[in-house]
Amino acid sequence: MKLIKNQAVVLAVALFSFSAMADDGEQRAQHLDNKGDRIENRMDRRGDRIDNRLDKKGDRVDRRLDNKGDRIDSRLDGASERAEARGNDKRAAHLDNKGDRIDRRLDRKGDKIDRRLDRKGDRVDQRLDRKGQGVDRRMDRRGDRLRK
């Protein structure tokens, strides 16, 4: 009788230990899933911050070049008006056209830089998103292996 009682105790301890190990494996798997999600979210936020910073930088460059072109065009318009007042119509037309050309060129240059920085920000954001998703998938797979 004592032997059967001892076997039952041993069996109960073994079953408890096994279920505790299973619970520990499940907790570890859940921890890895959460860790992967946190890493993915952190990389996603980082990519968004970099993308926003590059967008703002491109906008500042574009605005600065637009303003520079406007200032040059305005200055040449004043020179054109003075030339026209002195009777130099060809010189006035030349200065108007020159100011407009410079303004358009600087506008295009600013837009080009802005678009390039926007694309760069988008690429960085996408790369970090993919990297975060890969880390999350790896953590999920590790958790799934622990659950088995």
Side-chain angles (χ1 to χ4, degrees), residues 48-112:
D48 291 341
R49 276 195 313 267
I50 291 170
D51 184 26
N52 287 337
R53 188 178 68 226
L54 289 172
D55 286 346
K56 288 177 185 175
K57 182 178 182 180
D59 292 342
R60 281 193 309 267
V61 169
D62 184 29
R63 197 169 36 253
R64 187 180 71 228
L65 289 173
D66 286 347
N67 290 339
K68 182 178 181 181
D70 291 341
R71 281 193 312 270
I72 291 171
D73 187 30
S74 175
R75 192 172 63 229
L76 288 173
D77 283 345
S80 168
E81 289 171 4
R82 287 190 302 275
E84 194 171 1
R86 286 191 293 257
N88 253 338
D89 292 336
K90 285 187 177 182
R91 176 79 178 153
H94 166 72
L95 291 173
D96 279 338
N97 292 335
K98 181 178 182 180
D100 291 340
R101 277 194 319 268
I102 290 172
D103 187 29
R104 282 193 307 270
R105 186 182 72 225
L106 289 173
D107 285 346
R108 281 193 312 268
K109 183 178 180 181
D111 291 341
K112 182 180 172 183

Side-chain angles (χ1 to χ4, degrees), residues 45-46 64 145:
R45 287 191 310 267
R46 181 177 173 217
R64 187 180 71 228
R145 283 195 304 265

Side-chain angles (χ1 to χ4, degrees), residues 1-56:
M1 184 75 157
K2 189 165 183 130
L3 186 60
I4 293 173
K5 192 174 186 182
N6 287 341
Q7 286 177 343
V9 169
V10 169
L11 182 63
V13 169
L15 287 175
F16 178 75
S17 297
F18 181 73
S19 67
M21 285 177 19
D23 288 344
D24 188 42
E26 180 62 33
Q27 287 176 348
R28 179 70 179 146
Q30 186 63 38
H31 171 75
L32 289 173
D33 289 346
N34 293 339
K35 183 178 180 181
D37 291 339
R38 284 193 311 268
I39 291 170
E40 180 182 12
N41 290 336
R42 186 174 62 225
M43 287 190 174
D44 189 31
R45 287 191 310 267
R46 181 177 173 217
D48 291 341
R49 276 195 313 267
I50 291 170
D51 184 26
N52 287 337
R53 188 178 68 226
L54 289 172
D55 286 346
K56 288 177 185 175

